[in-house]
Amino acid sequence: MWPRSLLAIADLPPADIELLLDRAQAQKADPSGPHGRACAGRSLALLFEKPSLRTRVSFELAMQRLGGTALYLSPAEVGLGKREPVKDVARVLGGYCDAIACRTFSQEVLVELADWSGVPVINALSDWEHPCQALADLLTVREQLGGTQGHTLAYVGDGNNVARSLALGAASVGMHVRLASPPAFTLDEASTTVAASRGEASGGSIRLLEDPREAVAGADVVYTDVWTSMGQEDEAAARRRAFLGYQVSRELLALARPGAIVMHDLPAHRGEEITDAAIESEQSVVFAQAENRLHAQQAVLWRLVGQD
Ligand code: CP
Ligand code: NVA
């Protein structure tokens, strides 16, 4: 059964991931098609505890394109769990809005919002998952490689929120995922087990590695994300040391399949996880990927907030 909210890729059955990608592609090809006004008269609260460019703008515009309204609430305005308990914010917003997209530090806040609001809740990034990013990423892979099945995705860097959603999503749609991280920063065991079982069902797989060169060798997609995520700024210096050798550079890319694509969810820290030359190279699809946030978001809103 389709979950009422989108809190994690781990909750989304593989068939539903494919359905959302199909919808995103169809909507992108024909914006005024039959579902073009699916959210007419509906409203979405954007409750953000951390900064955002892509997620905020793409949700606002996606809602507008589908005929609905989005209201942005900044960290200072709401004081989620500080000025007011999460369960009270949930019930207040649930009384005004048809759905809530929330960017927060803990996955538990999302679960609490979903438990109390009475409306669908969408994870707009937590420390645990970034499911909307993964959907846009898979849409980009589909477009760039003509599909996802059987392709190899090498993720180099921190086994973080972006890595987790991406690994779970990619393994669900038949990709071979290789994650290269320093041992202390690798993906957690439970997520790896879920990704592996999804891979068994889809014809994909997941491998955790330490050596970025081994991960990238012959890969179709090379993906990285920041070494220091939002909220971890105090650890930045230690993380820069821990991730030395995990930079995506032209030299590392030379090991991938010729014509492999380079992906990054952005914002990028050039000179840390990726070089300027790699992100600006002809292989880089990062801005197509960023644009796809808008198309993927429309599919999510159509499914969770739409009327048809
Ligand atoms: N990739 C991503 O989520 O970007 P923002 O933090 O700008 O929303
Ligand atoms: N891992 C990053 C992703 C930003 C979009 C963070 O959580 O800050």
Side-chain angles (χ1 to χ4, degrees):
M1 203 187 86
W2 187 276
R4 180 180 165 78
S5 290
L6 175 55
L7 303 188
I9 291 285
D11 301 337
L12 206 54
D16 292 343
I17 296 175
E18 300 278 13
L19 174 78
L20 289 175
L21 297 178
D22 291 346
R23 176 93 290 276
Q25 272 189 309
Q27 183 80 20
K28 186 173 177 178
D30 181 12
S32 55
H35 304 293
R37 304 275 302 167
C39 294
R42 304 258 157 149
S43 57
L44 171 73
L46 296 172
L47 185 55
F48 277 41
E49 291 196 291
K50 303 180 188 184
S52 171
L53 173 64
R54 281 145 290 272
T55 309
R56 176 191 171 172
V57 174
S58 59
F59 264 122
E60 286 200 18
L61 293 179
M63 206 54 194
Q64 199 181 85
R65 284 188 175 202
L66 295 175
T69 308
L71 297 111
Y72 174 73
L73 299 157
S74 71
E77 277 165 302
V78 178
L80 193 61
K82 299 182 189 84
R83 182 170 183 261
E84 210 166 345
V86 173
K87 62 183 180 181
D88 289 6
V89 174
R91 284 173 285 184
V92 170
L93 288 178
Y96 298 138
C97 299
D98 298 292
I100 302 167
C102 179
R103 170 166 286 201
T104 183
F105 289 89
S106 93
Q107 192 73 12
E108 288 69 39
V109 166
L110 295 172
V111 172
E112 197 174 350
L113 280 175
D115 283 348
W116 287 92
S117 65
V119 297
V121 172
I122 301 167
N123 179 352
L125 180 148
S126 71
D127 286 9
W128 189 247
E129 273 221 35
H130 196 1
C132 298
Q133 179 69 53
L135 292 169
D137 297 342
L138 296 176
L139 175 62
T140 309
V141 171
R142 264 196 187 193
E143 288 176 348
Q144 297 288 332
L145 304 182
T148 52
Q149 191 70 41
H151 291 299
T152 298
L153 181 150
Y155 177 97
V156 178
D158 192 13
N160 61 13
N161 46 4
V162 168
R164 184 170 292 104
S165 294
L166 181 66
L168 287 162
S172 303
V173 296
M175 297 191 79
H176 299 295
V177 180
R178 299 180 196 152
L179 265 122
S181 316
F185 297 92
T186 196
L187 193 65
D188 68 289
E189 207 179 312
S191 303
T192 308
T193 303
V194 176
S197 88
R198 289 191 171 204
E200 267 172 39
S202 71
S205 62
I206 181 163
R207 277 173 70 203
L208 302 189
L209 302 161
E210 199 173 334
D211 182 357
R213 288 172 297 275
E214 193 183 344
V216 168
D220 303 295
V221 181
V222 179
Y223 196 120
T224 190
D225 181 29
V226 292
W227 294 338
T228 301
S229 286
M230 292 180 276
Q232 298 174 330
E233 288 77 9
D234 291 351
E235 302 169 22
R239 284 174 168 269
R240 271 195 293 274
R241 283 193 297 276
F243 285 100
L244 269 181
Y246 286 84
Q247 186 181 63
V248 172
S249 61
R250 278 191 182 276
E251 293 68 38
L252 189 65
L253 288 177
L255 303 174
R257 176 179 65 72
I261 57 170
V262 177
M263 297 181 69
H264 191 305
D265 49 295
L266 303 177
H269 296 167
R270 286 167 164 82
E272 291 194 13
E273 77 277 2
I274 193 161
T275 61
D276 185 66
I279 203 167
E280 298 293 348
S281 72
E282 284 181 1
Q283 288 167 268
S284 169
V285 298
V286 299
F287 296 107
Q289 184 184 353
E291 186 200 313
N292 275 337
R293 295 295 308 276
L294 174 64
H295 305 294
Q297 238 77 289
Q298 286 186 75
V300 169
L301 293 171
W302 158 77
R303 191 65 188 83
L304 294 179
V305 192
Q307 329 206 30
D308 49 354

